[in-house]
Amino acid sequence: MSRLLAQAADRGVHLESDYFFHAIVSGYIPPWTAEADSQNQGVMRVAGETAAAFAKAGYFTVLDGAFLPHLYLPRTIDLLAEHGVETRCVILLPDLETAITRAAMRDLRPLSRRDVITQLWQEFQMSTKFDVYRLEVADKTAQQVAAEISARGEEK
């Protein structure tokens, strides 16, 4: 879905935060552990800086990943704002079983730990700071979600 949004632009870039985690070839810490906070902050900052660089170069940039609403999402939004980059956020909310299925199908480092996915899912469900950007997606195709996000962007 994120790739579809980027492809629809004249000049589009799709950045997945997973790729930045995958770049760590030694010393990788599973990001859901408490010990990974410093790693996660660094990776999310690099992802945000990269997104800002592409946006400043004139690309419509879609940065996607599990940017925790209470922690990494606000920091990333602030970082992009520091660079003068206009930001629109969408929190996609599948049902839990859909989230578990999709996490297991990820290209890089598939995640099949139900407990971890459940914890992440709950954090996104409880988030209220970005309610205006919440989008239920369980029964929608990637194309339908991309169309709905595009329509929201045109309303702005």
Side-chain angles (χ1 to χ4, degrees), residues 15 31 34 39 45 65 70 73-74 112 115-116 120 123 129 140 142:
L15 294 175
Q39 167 192 276
R45 181 164 190 82
H70 70 283
L73 183 58
S112 58
D115 61 325
V116 172
L120 288 169
E123 289 186 46
K129 183 173 182 181
K140 297 176 183 171

Side-chain angles (χ1 to χ4, degrees), residues 20-37:
F20 295 91
F21 283 97
H22 188 69
I24 301 171
V25 295
S26 64
Y28 173 81
I29 304 167
W32 55 86
T33 63
E35 301 80 26
D37 186 57

